[in-house]
Amino acid sequence: MMPPFCNAQQTSGVVRDANGQIVPKKIINPCLDSVDRQNLHRELMFNQKIGRNVLDQKSELEKVLRKQKEKQKINSEHKPNQGIRNELHLAVLQRANRKQLEREQNETDNQLNPEYLNARAKLRATH
């Protein structure tokens, strides 16, 4: 397709270029040219600019939960990494406690009376 030149001729609504070829018209998009659609789009953009969500169809419970989450985010922003530090600290303490319990169990298993172990071994052998 060749773009129209300045000396394009127009006869009976048909635009021709300098070579006499018909220049295609731009196709009209009915959706974009619709006045109702333009008004709706203008209203949605205005509501977005002021921060109102017109399409919000959530229940009261969902709205309350969203507000609580927003409050938690605001509180966590004021105290950065406090929650993470507490969780990490608890995890480290739990792991240390588990390891200490395992060590204590291993020590008690190793400290059993040798006479008891010999008697137990003899009983196993007889059965």
Side-chain angles (χ1 to χ4, degrees), residues 53-60 62-63 66:
N53 190 359
V54 180
L55 303 175
D56 193 15
Q57 302 294 327
K58 295 186 178 180
S59 68
E60 290 296 320
E62 291 172 332
K63 290 178 183 177
R66 184 173 8 122

Side-chain angles (χ1 to χ4, degrees), residues 1 4 8-10 15 41 55 60 65-67 70 74-75 79 86-87 94 105 108 111 115 117 123 126:
M1 289 192 290
Q9 300 172 353
Q10 186 173 3
V15 179
H41 183 69
L55 303 175
E60 290 296 320
L65 288 174
R66 184 173 8 122
K67 285 182 182 178
E70 289 173 0
I74 291 171
N75 289 339
K79 300 176 184 176
N86 290 338
E87 292 175 13
Q94 289 174 352
Q105 287 178 350
T108 56
Q111 293 178 356
E115 293 176 13
L117 292 174
L123 284 174
T126 59

Side-chain angles (χ1 to χ4, degrees), residues 15-79:
V15 179
R16 297 180 182 266
D17 63 2
N19 297 333
Q21 295 177 341
I22 298 174
V23 178
K25 289 183 185 178
K26 184 176 179 181
I27 298 174
I28 298 172
N29 186 346
C31 182
L32 294 177
D33 288 341
S34 170
V35 176
D36 292 335
R37 186 224 166 256
Q38 289 175 354
N39 290 336
L40 177 64
H41 183 69
R42 188 178 302 119
E43 183 178 345
L44 287 172
M45 293 302 291
F46 174 76
N47 287 330
Q48 182 182 6
K49 185 185 287 185
I50 64 172
R52 185 185 331 153
N53 190 359
V54 180
L55 303 175
D56 193 15
Q57 302 294 327
K58 295 186 178 180
S59 68
E60 290 296 320
L61 177 62
E62 291 172 332
K63 290 178 183 177
V64 169
L65 288 174
R66 184 173 8 122
K67 285 182 182 178
Q68 285 180 350
K69 287 181 182 178
E70 289 173 0
K71 286 179 184 178
Q72 287 177 352
K73 284 182 183 179
I74 291 171
N75 289 339
S76 67
E77 288 174 3
H78 293 299
K79 300 176 184 176

Side-chain angles (χ1 to χ4, degrees), residues 81-104:
N81 298 330
Q82 288 293 339
I84 295 172
R85 286 183 185 167
N86 290 338
E87 292 175 13
L88 181 62
H89 185 67
L90 287 175
V92 168
L93 286 177
Q94 289 174 352
R95 181 175 287 177
N97 287 338
R98 259 187 275 136
K99 287 184 178 182
Q100 184 159 354
L101 286 174
E102 289 175 1
R103 279 190 223 125
E104 289 174 0

